[in-house]
Amino acid sequence: HLPFATLASASQAATTGSVIFVYPGTYTAPAENLAKPGVDWYFTPGTTVSKSAAGDIFDISGFTDTGMNVYGYADFILGSSAGSLMNSINAGPTFDYTFQCRDIFSDSSTSVVDYFAPDDYSINWEFRNMSASAGSGFNQLNIYSDGLVNITCDEIIAKDYCIGTGNGFKAGQIRAKKLTSTTNFAVHWYAGSNLSLIVDYASGVGGDVSTLAYRFTSYGDINI
Protein backbone atom coordinates (compact mmCIF):
# COMPACT_ATOMS: atom_id res chain seq x y z
CA HIS A 1 0.00 0.00 0.00
CA LEU A 2 2.99 2.30 0.41
CA PRO A 3 5.40 1.40 -2.37
CA PHE A 4 8.77 3.03 -2.76
CA ALA A 5 8.87 5.61 -5.53
CA THR A 6 12.26 4.63 -6.98
CA LEU A 7 14.41 1.56 -7.42
CA ALA A 8 17.20 3.23 -5.44
CA SER A 9 15.05 3.91 -2.39
CA ALA A 10 13.78 0.33 -2.36
CA SER A 11 17.31 -1.04 -2.62
CA GLN A 12 18.58 1.21 0.16
CA ALA A 13 15.79 0.15 2.51
CA ALA A 14 16.00 -3.59 1.78
CA THR A 15 17.70 -5.89 4.26
CA THR A 16 19.20 -9.35 3.83
CA GLY A 17 16.50 -11.88 2.97
CA SER A 18 14.24 -9.31 1.30
CA VAL A 19 12.69 -9.55 -2.15
CA ILE A 20 11.99 -6.25 -3.91
CA PHE A 21 8.88 -6.49 -6.11
CA VAL A 22 8.83 -3.93 -8.93
CA TYR A 23 5.42 -2.98 -10.31
CA PRO A 24 4.86 -2.33 -14.04
CA GLY A 25 6.22 0.96 -15.30
CA THR A 26 9.26 2.66 -16.75
CA TYR A 27 12.15 3.27 -14.36
CA THR A 28 15.48 5.03 -14.65
CA ALA A 29 18.32 3.13 -13.01
CA PRO A 30 20.14 5.40 -10.58
CA ALA A 31 23.84 6.19 -10.42
CA GLU A 32 23.98 3.98 -7.33
CA ASN A 33 24.42 0.23 -7.61
CA LEU A 34 21.13 -1.64 -7.30
CA ALA A 35 22.76 -4.89 -6.22
CA LYS A 36 22.79 -5.66 -2.52
CA PRO A 37 24.04 -8.85 -0.83
CA GLY A 38 21.20 -11.15 0.15
CA VAL A 39 18.51 -9.04 -1.56
CA ASP A 40 16.63 -10.43 -4.57
CA TRP A 41 14.58 -8.59 -7.18
CA TYR A 42 11.36 -9.59 -8.92
CA PHE A 43 10.23 -7.49 -11.90
CA THR A 44 6.60 -7.94 -12.87
CA PRO A 45 5.55 -8.01 -16.56
CA GLY A 46 5.42 -4.56 -18.13
CA THR A 47 8.54 -3.27 -16.37
CA THR A 48 11.26 -1.35 -18.22
CA VAL A 49 14.53 -0.24 -16.60
CA SER A 50 16.84 2.10 -18.52
CA LYS A 51 20.24 3.60 -17.76
CA SER A 52 21.94 6.31 -19.80
CA ALA A 53 24.48 7.55 -17.25
CA ALA A 54 27.83 5.89 -16.54
CA GLY A 55 27.98 2.85 -14.29
CA ASP A 56 26.52 -0.64 -14.03
CA ILE A 57 22.94 -1.44 -13.09
CA PHE A 58 23.88 -4.44 -10.93
CA ASP A 59 27.46 -4.60 -9.64
CA ILE A 60 28.36 -7.64 -7.52
CA SER A 61 32.12 -7.14 -7.72
CA GLY A 62 32.32 -6.19 -4.04
CA PHE A 63 30.30 -9.16 -2.80
CA THR A 64 31.97 -11.95 -0.85
CA ASP A 65 29.94 -15.09 -0.11
CA THR A 66 26.38 -13.73 -0.19
CA GLY A 67 24.76 -13.28 -3.56
CA MET A 68 21.59 -11.96 -5.12
CA ASN A 69 19.15 -13.02 -7.82
CA VAL A 70 17.01 -11.20 -10.37
CA TYR A 71 13.71 -12.77 -11.40
CA GLY A 72 10.80 -11.81 -13.62
CA TYR A 73 10.13 -10.08 -16.90
CA ALA A 74 11.87 -6.71 -17.04
CA ASP A 75 13.23 -5.13 -20.19
CA PHE A 76 16.65 -3.53 -19.61
CA ILE A 77 17.99 -0.72 -21.81
CA LEU A 78 21.61 0.47 -21.57
CA GLY A 79 22.69 3.67 -23.30
CA SER A 80 26.07 4.24 -24.92
CA SER A 81 27.53 5.82 -21.77
CA ALA A 82 26.27 3.11 -19.41
CA GLY A 83 28.24 0.12 -18.17
CA SER A 84 27.06 -3.47 -17.78
CA LEU A 85 23.74 -4.91 -16.80
CA MET A 86 25.63 -7.25 -14.45
CA ASN A 87 29.25 -6.67 -13.45
CA SER A 88 31.43 -8.93 -11.37
CA ILE A 89 35.13 -9.21 -10.56
CA ASN A 90 37.64 -10.90 -12.83
CA ALA A 91 37.41 -14.13 -10.83
CA GLY A 92 33.62 -14.09 -10.93
CA PRO A 93 31.04 -14.23 -8.12
CA THR A 94 31.74 -16.65 -5.27
CA PHE A 95 28.15 -17.87 -5.18
CA ASP A 96 25.51 -19.24 -7.55
CA TYR A 97 23.01 -16.80 -8.99
CA THR A 98 20.05 -16.66 -11.37
CA PHE A 99 19.16 -13.73 -13.63
CA GLN A 100 15.81 -13.73 -15.43
CA CYS A 101 14.37 -11.00 -17.64
CA ARG A 102 12.64 -10.49 -20.97
CA ASP A 103 14.72 -8.36 -23.40
CA ILE A 104 18.09 -6.61 -23.04
CA PHE A 105 19.23 -3.79 -25.33
CA SER A 106 22.69 -2.26 -24.96
CA ASP A 107 24.47 0.45 -26.96
CA SER A 108 27.39 0.39 -24.51
CA SER A 109 30.83 -0.86 -25.52
CA THR A 110 31.02 -2.58 -22.12
CA SER A 111 29.87 -6.21 -22.12
CA VAL A 112 26.28 -6.71 -21.05
CA VAL A 113 27.48 -9.37 -18.57
CA ASP A 114 31.05 -8.60 -17.55
CA TYR A 115 32.92 -11.54 -15.91
CA PHE A 116 31.22 -14.60 -14.46
CA ALA A 117 31.31 -18.07 -12.88
CA PRO A 118 34.56 -18.98 -11.09
CA ASP A 119 35.49 -22.37 -9.62
CA ASP A 120 32.66 -24.46 -8.21
CA TYR A 121 29.87 -21.95 -8.89
CA SER A 122 27.21 -21.58 -11.54
CA ILE A 123 25.33 -18.75 -13.20
CA ASN A 124 21.92 -19.23 -14.78
CA TRP A 125 20.62 -16.68 -17.30
CA GLU A 126 17.12 -16.86 -18.78
CA PHE A 127 15.85 -14.19 -21.18
CA ARG A 128 14.25 -13.74 -24.59
CA ASN A 129 16.49 -11.44 -26.67
CA MET A 130 19.82 -9.67 -26.06
CA SER A 131 21.24 -7.00 -28.37
CA ALA A 132 24.76 -5.62 -27.80
CA SER A 133 25.31 -3.17 -30.65
CA ALA A 134 28.76 -1.95 -29.54
CA GLY A 135 30.25 -4.79 -27.49
CA SER A 136 29.83 -8.36 -26.28
CA GLY A 137 26.90 -10.08 -24.69
CA PHE A 138 28.73 -12.26 -22.16
CA ASN A 139 32.48 -11.80 -21.86
CA GLN A 140 35.26 -12.71 -19.46
CA LEU A 141 38.96 -12.11 -19.98
CA ASN A 142 41.69 -14.72 -19.52
CA ILE A 143 40.87 -15.90 -16.02
CA TYR A 144 41.74 -19.51 -15.24
CA SER A 145 38.67 -20.62 -13.34
CA ASP A 146 36.22 -23.45 -13.82
CA GLY A 147 32.55 -22.65 -13.56
CA LEU A 148 29.16 -23.64 -14.89
CA VAL A 149 27.47 -21.26 -17.32
CA ASN A 150 23.83 -21.98 -18.22
CA ILE A 151 22.14 -19.64 -20.71
CA THR A 152 18.65 -20.10 -22.14
CA CYS A 153 17.39 -17.54 -24.65
CA ASP A 154 15.83 -16.98 -28.05
CA GLU A 155 18.53 -14.78 -29.55
CA ILE A 156 21.77 -12.95 -28.87
CA ILE A 157 23.12 -10.52 -31.45
CA ALA A 158 26.36 -8.72 -30.62
CA LYS A 159 29.04 -6.66 -32.29
CA ASP A 160 31.73 -8.74 -30.58
CA TYR A 161 31.23 -12.14 -28.89
CA CYS A 162 27.75 -13.32 -28.04
CA ILE A 163 29.52 -15.45 -25.41
CA GLY A 164 33.26 -15.33 -24.71
CA THR A 165 34.83 -17.07 -21.73
CA GLY A 166 38.54 -16.30 -22.12
CA ASN A 167 40.89 -18.95 -20.72
CA GLY A 168 38.23 -20.00 -18.28
CA PHE A 169 37.79 -23.71 -19.06
CA LYS A 170 34.12 -23.46 -18.24
CA ALA A 171 31.39 -26.04 -18.54
CA GLY A 172 27.75 -25.36 -19.17
CA GLN A 173 24.75 -25.54 -21.44
CA ILE A 174 23.71 -22.91 -23.99
CA ARG A 175 20.19 -23.13 -25.40
CA ALA A 176 19.42 -20.55 -28.09
CA LYS A 177 17.48 -20.24 -31.32
CA LYS A 178 20.00 -17.81 -32.83
CA LEU A 179 23.48 -16.46 -32.02
CA THR A 180 24.97 -13.77 -34.25
CA SER A 181 28.20 -11.76 -34.05
CA THR A 182 28.71 -8.99 -36.61
CA THR A 183 32.53 -8.68 -36.18
CA ASN A 184 33.81 -11.83 -34.42
CA PHE A 185 33.09 -15.41 -33.39
CA ALA A 186 29.59 -15.80 -31.99
CA VAL A 187 30.97 -18.17 -29.33
CA HIS A 188 34.60 -18.10 -28.13
CA TRP A 189 34.77 -20.80 -25.47
CA TYR A 190 37.51 -22.52 -23.49
CA ALA A 191 35.60 -25.59 -22.42
CA GLY A 192 36.05 -27.38 -19.13
CA SER A 193 34.56 -30.74 -18.26
CA ASN A 194 31.54 -30.59 -20.58
CA LEU A 195 29.83 -28.05 -22.85
CA SER A 196 26.53 -28.55 -24.64
CA LEU A 197 25.34 -26.17 -27.35
CA ILE A 198 21.71 -26.59 -28.32
CA VAL A 199 21.59 -23.84 -30.92
CA ASP A 200 19.35 -23.71 -33.99
CA TYR A 201 21.49 -21.21 -35.90
CA ALA A 202 24.80 -19.43 -35.30
CA SER A 203 26.74 -17.04 -37.51
CA GLY A 204 29.94 -15.08 -37.08
CA VAL A 205 32.90 -13.56 -38.88
CA GLY A 206 35.74 -15.19 -36.96
CA GLY A 207 38.89 -17.02 -38.05
CA ASP A 208 41.21 -16.59 -41.01
CA VAL A 209 38.32 -16.94 -43.42
CA SER A 210 36.16 -14.49 -41.43
CA THR A 211 33.11 -16.73 -41.63
CA LEU A 212 33.27 -18.89 -38.52
CA ALA A 213 30.71 -18.87 -35.72
CA TYR A 214 32.57 -20.96 -33.11
CA ARG A 215 36.07 -21.14 -31.65
CA PHE A 216 36.89 -23.76 -29.00
CA THR A 217 39.80 -24.79 -26.87
CA SER A 218 38.82 -27.85 -24.90
CA TYR A 219 39.89 -29.96 -21.95
CA GLY A 220 36.58 -31.78 -22.02
CA ASP A 221 33.71 -32.83 -24.25
CA ILE A 222 31.86 -30.45 -26.53
CA ASN A 223 28.39 -31.49 -27.70
CA ILE A 224 26.75 -29.45 -30.45
Side-chain angles (χ1 to χ4, degrees):
H1 298 291
L2 295 173
F4 291 96
T6 66
L7 302 178
S9 59
S11 177
Q12 290 164 8
T15 57
T16 299
S18 298
V19 179
I20 299 172
F21 290 88
V22 184
Y23 294 160
T26 299
Y27 299 84
T28 299
E32 300 87 357
N33 177 23
L34 289 180
K36 199 168 186 178
V39 175
D40 293 341
W41 292 79
Y42 183 88
F43 292 89
T44 56
T47 303
T48 299
V49 179
S50 63
K51 188 177 181 69
S52 57
D56 308 306
I57 295 182
F58 297 98
D59 184 354
I60 57 176
S61 59
F63 291 15
T64 53
D65 57 353
T66 302
M68 57 154 285
N69 301 287
V70 175
Y71 302 108
Y73 304 90
D75 292 332
F76 291 98
I77 303 172
L78 295 160
S80 59
S81 298
S84 300
L85 173 57
M86 175 70 91
N87 178 53
S88 184
I89 57 175
N90 58 8
T94 54
F95 44 80
D96 302 332
Y97 76 81
T98 294
F99 199 113
Q100 297 175 337
C101 62
R102 197 176 72 142
D103 294 333
I104 305 163
F105 304 96
S106 175
D107 291 326
S108 171
S109 59
T110 305
S111 302
V112 175
V113 184
D114 201 10
Y115 296 113
F116 43 84
D119 292 339
D120 302 324
Y121 295 97
S122 65
I123 63 170
N124 301 282
W125 279 78
E126 302 171 16
F127 55 91
R128 188 172 65 174
N129 300 311
M130 176 186 289
S131 172
S133 65
S136 295
F138 294 78
N139 195 31
Q140 178 163 328
L141 299 181
N142 294 335
I143 306 301
Y144 291 90
S145 59
D146 297 336
L148 187 64
V149 180
N150 296 311
I151 300 172
T152 302
C153 65
D154 281 356
E155 181 177 11
I156 301 175
I157 180 169
K159 178 183 178 182
D160 208 334
Y161 303 129
C162 296
I163 308 165
T165 67
N167 290 335
F169 307 126
K170 299 185 183 306
Q173 184 179 90
I174 310 302
R175 290 178 173 266
K177 294 180 180 178
K178 189 174 183 180
L179 301 175
T180 304
S181 172
T182 59
T183 66
N184 212 321
F185 297 99
V187 176
H188 185 260
W189 195 291
Y190 287 73
S193 57
N194 189 281
L195 169 65
S196 294
L197 289 168
I198 306 169
V199 177
D200 291 347
Y201 177 86
S203 66
V205 289
D208 295 338
V209 294
S210 298
T211 59
L212 302 183
Y214 297 121
R215 179 175 188 262
F216 300 112
T217 296
S218 178
Y219 282 83
D221 296 329
I222 297 175
N223 304 306
I224 303 177

